[in-house]
Structure formats: structure tokens, C-alpha cells
């Protein structure tokens, strides 16, 4: 038999709770990780790729600039040896001199100049004056040269500023095996044999220039000569297709070819330097991040499973007790709740107990409200009968005054009836400015009779604003306060209503009375002012109506000073009755 009651050991809800809990925890832990992983992978891939590529390009440019500088140093030094008039003149003298003693003096002078130039140019290594067509081609040198010295066997690199450059190649120094760049420049001397100055870069210069530690990864260098016919592998082995592409392809500063990244620098001197990086090496940081994310996902999955099992184990027993208490509460509302001694579940049960108490209180309150309903109906009828009775009584007084010829009493009662009808009537809370002015005139006429016409009252209203709608009793508290605060000998109260701006109305109430200080203005604006004003409703009512119907679209200003009278100005948007939700 299938049972629906919770708490049985065979209830399917227990298994469903456990399964749902595991699924939700897995989703809740893996989904954010997946989203973060996707977003961060796309961002990190572009960031790391750009960072690595920029770093390689910057290092490659620095190496190329160092090589350009070394070639410029060779060029500068060779010009000193080949174009300096004193050295060239001494070389001419040496070649033509027959006297051995004089020739040895010239030789010493030339050697001194060679040593001086080498001393001032630390990036220069082997230096020699050579005559390729002679039996012994080396005439002067600062270092011993190999017996097989032959410039024609050296790999051509470029022609630059009137000189030929070779390399990279092994040094011509007799006891060295370093890789260097060299230069050969012709020296213009008399005679049929051609004389050249031969210079090499410092023996350790290339090792300093091409340093893989500057890249932070394994990078191979390829150097392409000026004509593009020869590509040198400076360090490491590179596939032949990549070597060929480095020499024949150009234009792109960076390209990916057959699993290799190629970064090129084209020198203004005519040669190209290419950095070659394996794709696996280039992406090593990205792969490291990816493996860490996979490990983090697996650990998160394991953690979510263990956490789901622990949570299910902790909440299953107390949850059964809570369900039993809920069923028991439904069967017996007055029965007290038995708690589980687990803070969270006891908190739920205490809320149920409070709910039961509130329901009982609501039932009692409904009963009391039903008893008071009839009393409220009676009071409602009285609130309607009292104004009606007052109007009827005043009408009787009015007719008696007319019958007895009491015109002043007749006028006073007539005005009072109109004021009470406007104040206590059932018309809408929204009226026109014209209706508000008519009520103000009636009210102020009553006040003038009361004060034996000791003050004047004047209304100036433009015709084009009379149809605009305003909340009822908006002006009465203002003129009422003018009477109480502004009444004096030869007193005067002016109400000025006119259009303001494109679509606004300005309501202004002005008196010439004693005026007010700041404290009195604050009291006038307070909610307690309504309790001190008799028939008036108070400035608090005016402010409340303005905030309710105009919110931040209105502006109220009070200008007053002791002995200077008071001017109250209100600027509100011009609206019709249809614009208000009355």
C-alpha cells in the first residue's frame, strides 16, 4: 500500500530529498565554477597570449637594437681606420717606405692607433689591415690570426654604408672559436694592391645579445641576411620549413606556422631577426592554468558530494520530527509544540507556535470588529446628519432674519452657510482656482464682519488660470494665518494668482502686518500649528497637500521680517481636474 504520510521509513520523499540535495549542491558548486572558468579562460587566454607575445616582441626588438648598435660600432670604427687622414697617410708611407728602420717606426705608430681605437671601443674584437691579393694578407693586427685567413670564405650578411658585413661565423682569432660578426672596408691607398680594414665584434657580444633568459622560455633565433638568401640558426635546431619561411616570408610581425610562433623584426639596415617559439612552449602558462582549473573542478565535485551527504545526514532526523509536529498541529490547534533540540528546526516550530497564537488573536479580533461594525455605521450616519442638521438650522435662522428685516444677520448667515457648505460638503478634494477664490472671498468677508472691517482684503487673479485645478483648502490656511499674524491697524491682505513660466501657476498671499521671525515661521510650518488655529486647517495641511499632489514639482517661499509683513508664495504646475487621481 502506498502511503502519503511523511515519517515512514519507506516514504519516497526521503530518497527524493537526498537526491535533490545532491543535485542542487553539485549544480550550485559546479555551475559558478564553470561560468567563472569560461569567462576567465577567454579573458586569461587573450591576456596571457598578448602578454607573452608582447614580451617576446619586446625582447626581440631589444636584441635587434643591440645587434644594430654593434654593427654601427663596427661601422664607426672602420671609418676611423679607413677614412682618417693620418692613419691612411701612415699606411701609404708604410707601403712605399723601403728603409727598415723607418718602416718599423711607422708600424709602431699604426699599432698604437689600432690599440687606441680598440681601447675606446670595447665592443670591437679582432682588428686587422689586410691585402687579400698578397702572399701574406695580414699586415697589421691587434691579435694573432689564423693561417687560413680568407675573407672570401665568410658568409655574406649585408652591405651597409660602403662596407661588407659577414656573419655570424667563427672568429678569425687564432686561439678562439666564438661566433662573431665582421666587417671589411676598403682603405684608399696608393698602389695597385687593394688594402682593407677588417673588424670583428667582441668575442662575447653575441652571447650577451642572444640570451634566452630574457624570454623566460625556450626561444630559437634565426638571422636572415640582407638579400634573404641565407638564414643562420643562432641557437638550437629549427625545422627546415620554418627556416625557409623565415627567409622567404615577410611583412607580418607575428604568425603561427606548423606549430611554431614566428616573431619578426626587420632592421632598417636590411637584415631580419626572427624568434621561433614552439606552440606548446608559448601556451605553457595557459596549459598550467587549465590543469589547475580541472583539478579545482574535481576537488569541488568531491567536496560537494561529501557536503551533500553530511547535510542530508544532519537534517533528515530533525526534519521527520518537524513534519510530525506540523501534522499534529493541523489536527489539534491547541496542542503545545514539542521541540527537537535543534536550533534551526526549533526556530521553525516556534514560528508555527506564534502563527497559531496570531490566528487565535485574529479570530478574536474579527469577533470584536463585528460587534463594533454597527456602532461605526451609527457614527457614520451621525457624521452625515450633523452637517445636514446644522445647515437646516442656519437656513431657519436666515429666513427669520429676513422676515424681521435683519439684513446684516441674513448676510452673515448666508456667508456662513456657503463656507460650511464648501468646508463640510461632499465635493471632490480637487477644485478649480475659481472655486477656491469664491470660498476664500466668503470666508474673508465673514472675518471682516467679525473684525468690524478693520482690514482690507483684495484678490487679483488672471482669467487664464481660473480653470486650473488645485487641492481644496490650499489658500484658506494661508489667508487665515495672514489674519492672525498680519492683522493690524489699516491691515491689508492680498491674494495674487497669476501664470508663471510656461506651464505653472503662482499663488501669493501677502499682508502688511507685524511679520514673523524665523522661530515663528518654523512654528507655522509645524504639524502642531493646526491645533492652534480655530477654523483654519494649518500650514502643515498645506505642506502635506503640496507634497502629496506635487511632490518635488512645487516651490514654497516665505519672506517675512518683524514689522515688514509676510509674503507666502507657492509655485505649482498647471493641471486640470483630469490630471489628478482624486
Amino acid at each position: 500500500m502506498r502511503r502519503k504520510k511523511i515519517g515512514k521509513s519507506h516514504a519516497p520523499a526521503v530518497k527524493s530529498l537526498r537526491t535533490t540535495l545532491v543535485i542542487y549542491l553539485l549544480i550550485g558548486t559546479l555551475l559558478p565554477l564553470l561560468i567563472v572558468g569560461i569567462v576567465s579562460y577567454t579573458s586569461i587566454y587573450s591576456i596571457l597570449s598578448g602578454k607573452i607575445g608582447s614580451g617576446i616582441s619586446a625582447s626581440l626588438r631589444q636584441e635587434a637594437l643591440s645587434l644594430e648598435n654593434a654593427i654601427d660600432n663596427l661601422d664607426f670604427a672602420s671609418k676611423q681606420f679607413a677614412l682618417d687622414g693620418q692613419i691612411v697617410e701612415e699606411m701609404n708611407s708604410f707601403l712605399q717606405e723601403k728603409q727598415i728602420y723607418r718602416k718599423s717606426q711607422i708600424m709602431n705608430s699604426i699599432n698604437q692607433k689600432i690599440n687606441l681605437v680598440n681601447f675606446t671601443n670595447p665592443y670591437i674584437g679582432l682588428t686587422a689591415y689586410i691585402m687579400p691579393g698578397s702572399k701574406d694578407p695580414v699586415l697589421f693586427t691587434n691579435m694573432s690570426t689564423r693561417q687560413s685567413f680568407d675573407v672570401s670564405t665568410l658568409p655574406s650578411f649585408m652591405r651597409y654604408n660602403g662596407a661588407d658585413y659577414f656573419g655570424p661565423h667563427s672568429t678569425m682569432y687564432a686561439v678562439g672559436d666564438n661566433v662573431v660578426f665582421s666587417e671589411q672596408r676598403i682603405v684608399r691607398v696608393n698602389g695597385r694592391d687593394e688594402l682593407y680594414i677588417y673588424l670583428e665584434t667582441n668575442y662575447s657580444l653575441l652571447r650577451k645579445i642572444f640570451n634566452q633568459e630574457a624570454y623566460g622560455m625556450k626561444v630559437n633565433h634565426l638571422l636572415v641576411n640582407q638579400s634573404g638568401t641565407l638564414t643562420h640558426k643562432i641557437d638550437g635546431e629549427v625545422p627546415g620549413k620554418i627556416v625557409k619561411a623565415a627567409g622567404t616570408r615577410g611583412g607580418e610581425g607575428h604568425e603561427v606556422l606548423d606549430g611554431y610562433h614566428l616573431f619578426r623584426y626587420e632592421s632598417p639596415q636590411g637584415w631580419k631577426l626572427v624568434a621561433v617559439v614552439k606552440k606548446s612552449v608559448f601556451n605553457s602558462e595557459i596549459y598550467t592554468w587549465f590543469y589547475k582549473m580541472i583539478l579545482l573542478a574535481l576537488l569541488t565535485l568531491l567536496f560537494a558530494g561529501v557536503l551533500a551527504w553530511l547535510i542530508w545526514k544532519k537534517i533528515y532526523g530533525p526534519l521527520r520530527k518537524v513534519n510530525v509536529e506540523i501534522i499534529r498541529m493541523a489536527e489539534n490547534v491547541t496542542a503545545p509544540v514539542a521541540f527537537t533540540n535543534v536550533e534551526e528546526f526549533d526556530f521553525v516550530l516556534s514560528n508555527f507556535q506564534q502563527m497559531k497564537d496570531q490566528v487565535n488573536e485574529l479570530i478574536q479580533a474579527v469577533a470584536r470588529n463585528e460587534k463594533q461594525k454597527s456602532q461605526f455605521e451609527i457614527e457614520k450616519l451621525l457624521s452625515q446628519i450633523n452637517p445636514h442638521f446644522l445647515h437646516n438650522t442656519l437656513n431657519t435662522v436666515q429666513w427669520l432674519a429676513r422676515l424681521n428685516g435683519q439684513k446684516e444677520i441674513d448676510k452673515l448667515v448666508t456667508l456662513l452657510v456657503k463656507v460650511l457648505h464648501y468646508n463640510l460638503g461632499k465635493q471632490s478634494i480637487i477644485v478649480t482656482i475659481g472655486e477656491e477664490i469664491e470660498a476664500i472671498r466668503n470666508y474673508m468677508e465673514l472675518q471682516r464682519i467679525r473684525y468690524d472691517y478693520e482690514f482690507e482684503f483684495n484678490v487679483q487673479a488672471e482669467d487664464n488660470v481660473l480653470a486650473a485645478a488645485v487641492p481644496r483648502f490650499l489658500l484658506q490656511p494661508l489667508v487665515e494665518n495672514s489674519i492672525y499674524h498680519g492683522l493690524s491697524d489699516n491691515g491689508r491682505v492680498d491674494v495674487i494668482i497669476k501664470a508663471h513660466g510656461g506651464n505653472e501657476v503662482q499663488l501669493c498671499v501677502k499682508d502688511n502686518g507685524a511679520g514673523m521671525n524665523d522661530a515663528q515661521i518654523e512654528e507655522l510650518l509645524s504639524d502642531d500649528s493646526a491645533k492652534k488655529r480655530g477654523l483654519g486647517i494649518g500650514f502643515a495641511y498645506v505642506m502635506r497637500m503640496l507634497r502629496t499632489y506635487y511632490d518635488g514639482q512645487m516651490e514654497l517661499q516665505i519672506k517675512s521680517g518683524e514689522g515688514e509683513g509676510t509674503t507666502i508664495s507657492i509655485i505649482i504646475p498647471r493641471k486640470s481636474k483630469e490630471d489628478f487621481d482624486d
Side-chain angles (χ1 to χ4, degrees):
M1 178 181 295
R2 185 175 182 181
R3 300 176 182 266
K4 294 184 180 180
K5 290 186 178 181
I6 300 175
K8 299 295 183 180
S9 59
H10 301 290
V14 176
K15 183 178 181 181
S16 176
L17 174 63
R18 180 175 57 186
T19 303
T20 304
L21 182 62
V22 172
I23 293 175
Y24 284 179
L25 280 174
L26 291 178
I27 294 175
T29 52
L30 290 181
L31 184 59
L33 182 64
L34 179 62
I35 295 174
V36 171
I38 294 174
V39 173
S40 61
Y41 177 77
T42 55
S43 301
I44 289 176
Y45 183 83
S46 59
I47 292 173
L48 288 179
S49 298
K51 182 193 76 171
I52 297 170
S54 299
I56 293 175
S57 297
S59 298
L60 181 67
R61 180 178 178 82
Q62 186 62 38
E63 292 174 342
L65 292 177
S66 298
L67 184 56
E68 288 176 352
N69 186 53
I71 292 174
D72 286 335
N73 287 334
L74 288 178
D75 179 68
F76 176 75
S78 67
K79 288 178 180 178
Q80 286 182 292
F81 288 115
L83 303 178
D84 184 83
Q86 186 176 2
I87 298 179
V88 173
E89 184 179 349
E90 288 184 344
M91 286 299 303
N92 269 319
S93 298
F94 175 81
L95 294 176
Q96 296 175 7
E97 184 64 46
K98 302 298 183 179
Q99 217 175 13
I100 296 176
Y101 174 73
R102 177 60 183 160
K103 201 165 190 175
S104 64
Q105 286 183 328
I106 297 173
M107 182 182 298
N108 290 333
S109 177
I110 293 174
N111 285 329
Q112 288 177 0
K113 288 181 173 59
I114 292 176
N115 293 330
L116 178 62
V117 173
N118 277 269
F119 178 77
T120 57
N121 292 273
Y123 296 106
I124 298 176
L126 176 65
T127 303
Y129 278 102
I130 60 173
M131 279 187 173
S134 8
K135 183 177 180 181
D136 187 6
V138 179
L139 299 181
F140 297 95
T141 180
N142 63 337
M143 300 178 183
S144 58
T145 60
R146 296 181 184 179
Q147 293 181 354
S148 60
F149 187 97
D150 187 1
V151 176
S152 62
T153 61
L154 300 179
S156 175
F157 184 59
M158 68 173 180
R159 182 162 182 81
Y160 177 66
N161 283 349
D164 295 314
Y165 290 83
F166 309 95
H169 61 83
S170 296
T171 179
M172 292 291 107
Y173 180 43
V175 294
D177 58 354
N178 296 293
V179 177
V180 296
F181 281 86
S182 61
E183 176 193 5
Q184 177 181 270
R185 181 183 294 274
I186 191 168
V187 181
R188 303 298 180 183
V189 293
N190 298 326
R192 292 180 297 175
D193 295 329
E194 292 183 343
L195 178 66
Y196 294 90
I197 181 67
Y198 174 83
L199 299 173
E200 288 184 355
T201 57
N202 185 282
Y203 70 95
S204 62
L205 182 62
L206 261 65
R207 289 201 304 267
K208 293 178 180 179
I209 291 177
F210 301 106
N211 184 9
Q212 290 189 346
E213 294 180 359
Y215 293 87
M217 62 180 65
K218 185 178 180 181
V219 177
N220 300 115
H221 294 86
L222 299 176
L223 189 61
V224 183
N225 65 0
Q226 188 178 49
S227 61
T229 57
L230 188 61
T231 301
H232 303 274
K233 291 182 285 187
I234 297 178
D235 47 16
E237 291 297 324
V238 179
K241 187 175 182 180
I242 302 300
V243 175
K244 183 178 180 181
T248 57
R249 299 163 69 100
E252 295 184 16
H254 173 223
E255 69 169 329
V256 180
L257 179 65
D258 287 349
Y260 286 86
H261 287 266
L262 276 70
F263 295 85
R264 291 186 178 85
Y265 176 86
E266 293 190 12
S267 172
Q269 297 173 348
W271 48 269
K272 290 187 292 186
L273 181 62
V274 182
V276 181
V277 186
K278 279 188 177 180
K279 200 171 183 179
S280 58
V281 175
F282 186 85
N283 295 330
S284 59
E285 291 188 39
I286 299 175
Y287 293 154
T288 301
W289 175 88
F290 185 71
Y291 296 145
K292 289 180 180 179
M293 288 297 296
I294 293 177
L295 179 60
L296 180 60
L298 294 175
L299 293 176
T300 303
L301 184 65
L302 178 62
F303 173 76
V306 174
L307 184 62
W309 179 78
L310 291 174
I311 293 175
W312 170 79
K313 184 178 179 181
K314 290 294 183 182
I315 70 173
Y316 176 68
L319 186 60
R320 288 187 58 194
K321 293 182 180 180
V322 172
N323 290 332
V324 170
E325 289 299 330
I326 293 174
I327 294 174
R328 193 160 66 92
M329 287 172 61
E331 296 173 351
N332 187 0
V333 180
T334 59
V337 174
F339 293 98
T340 62
N341 294 326
V342 177
E343 181 179 357
E344 290 76 12
F345 290 101
D346 287 348
F347 176 75
V348 174
L349 291 175
S350 65
N351 286 338
F352 277 115
Q353 184 66 49
Q354 293 177 7
M355 181 185 65
K356 181 181 68 175
D357 296 338
Q358 291 175 358
V359 169
N360 290 333
E361 291 176 1
L362 289 174
I363 292 174
Q364 296 174 4
V366 170
R368 288 194 301 269
N369 290 338
E370 288 296 329
K371 293 179 182 179
Q372 295 175 355
K373 185 176 180 181
S374 58
Q375 182 178 355
F376 291 156
E377 292 293 335
I378 294 173
E379 292 179 358
K380 181 179 179 181
L381 291 174
L382 288 175
S383 66
Q384 297 175 354
I385 291 173
N386 288 338
H388 182 69
F389 175 75
L390 180 60
H391 281 220
N392 289 340
T393 303
L394 290 174
N395 285 333
T396 302
V397 175
Q398 181 183 9
W399 283 108
L400 287 174
R402 289 180 182 177
L403 290 174
N404 294 320
Q406 300 292 332
K407 294 182 179 181
E408 293 294 331
I409 297 176
D410 180 23
K411 179 180 179 181
L412 180 63
V413 173
T414 300
L415 291 173
L416 181 58
V417 168
K418 290 182 179 180
V419 171
L420 291 176
H421 179 74
Y422 186 78
N423 288 2
L424 303 177
K426 298 180 181 179
Q427 60 264 42
S428 170
I429 193 66
I430 303 300
V431 297
T432 64
I433 291 179
E435 294 171 338
E436 184 76 1
I437 291 175
E438 182 181 358
I440 291 301
R441 290 182 187 275
N442 294 330
Y443 174 74
M444 292 302 290
E445 189 63 26
L446 280 176
Q447 295 298 328
R448 294 185 69 208
I449 294 174
R450 173 185 175 187
Y451 289 100
D452 196 19
Y453 300 95
E454 292 180 354
F455 67 92
E456 295 183 10
F457 174 71
N458 183 44
V459 177
Q460 300 177 20
E462 297 180 355
D463 293 337
N464 60 342
V465 299
L466 295 179
V470 294
R472 191 164 55 159
F473 305 129
L474 189 61
L475 292 177
Q476 180 172 309
L478 304 181
V479 298
E480 185 178 23
N481 280 283
S482 294
I483 294 173
Y484 283 102
H485 294 280
L487 192 61
S488 64
D489 294 339
N490 299 321
R492 180 182 179 87
V493 178
D494 292 314
V495 176
I496 303 171
I497 304 175
K498 60 183 179 180
H500 182 274
N503 195 26
E504 293 179 327
V505 178
Q506 183 179 22
L507 310 173
C508 183
V509 177
K510 181 179 181 182
D511 65 64
N512 62 346
M516 296 180 291
N517 55 32
D518 292 341
Q520 290 173 320
I521 293 175
E522 291 296 330
E523 180 185 358
L524 188 63
L525 291 171
S526 66
D527 293 336
D528 294 337
S529 63
K531 301 177 182 178
K532 305 175 183 179
R533 295 291 184 266
L535 184 62
I537 299 174
F539 234 80
Y541 168 82
V542 175
M543 294 300 298
R544 185 164 59 251
M545 296 298 285
L546 290 174
R547 293 191 187 102
T548 300
Y549 288 99
Y550 300 103
D551 196 15
Q553 298 178 336
M554 65 84 181
E555 179 182 350
L556 186 144
Q557 295 181 348
I558 299 178
K559 296 181 180 179
S560 183
E562 294 184 353
E564 300 177 1
T566 303
T567 301
I568 302 172
S569 176
I570 300 174
I571 299 175
I572 56 176
R574 182 184 299 188
K575 294 184 178 182
S576 63
K577 286 187 176 182
E578 291 75 13
D579 295 331
F580 289 91
D581 184 13
D582 186 9

